[in-house]
Amino acid sequence: MDVDDPYRAPATLPATAPAFPPVPQFASRDAVAGEYYSPPTLKLASLSLVTLGLYPLYWFWQNWRAIKRETGGTQWPWARAVFAPLWSFLCFSDLRDIAVSRRRDLAFAPGLLAAVYFLLNLAGRLPGALTLLSLFTFVPILPINSLLRRYHREEGVDTRRMDRFGVWHILLLVFGGLFLLLVLFGFSLPDTER
């Protein structure tokens, strides 16, 4: 008596395997190279100055969003941007690691850049005109931004959207520039308090 065992492997392979149509492969922009926020140096520097140091927070927010998208992490980009002086080292390290994986090197150590960024943020607490040092919080971002721009150029990522100055950028430059001039003029006045 031959009992049919449904769990036993077949004695011979089927004559022909069923033909499945090939699955189309769609190359997405993210599959080729990640798009990180890296505006031109002029845009980064000018908007950082006229917003009195708020534009670097936007830069951090955009790049934390890109890191979260690329790595599938669970971080909150807005919280890491708000507390950017504390999280800048991790952001700089993550962005450096992404570029190094594509054989691009960063000229400065992320720890050094993060320390300078932190100290420039603390400079806002200094008395008198020394507080103006905090306007230069964008300076430690420049090497990372340059690395990302080189990464985008070599990977063929379209950066035209980041490169252009939109209407809001121009309005910020005009009104923020006027406000910055007023602040600088105010610091140049002699101290009459005695």
Side-chain angles (χ1 to χ4, degrees), residues 139-158:
V139 172
I141 295 173
L142 292 177
I144 296 287
N145 195 62
S146 174
L147 179 70
L148 291 176
R149 291 203 51 90
R150 194 169 59 241
Y151 166 78
H152 285 155
R153 186 175 45 253
E154 291 173 4
E155 294 293 328
V157 175
D158 185 19

Side-chain angles (χ1 to χ4, degrees), residues 105-121:
D105 293 324
L106 180 62
F108 300 98
L112 175 66
L113 295 174
V116 171
Y117 182 76
F118 186 79
L119 291 174
L120 285 172
N121 274 286

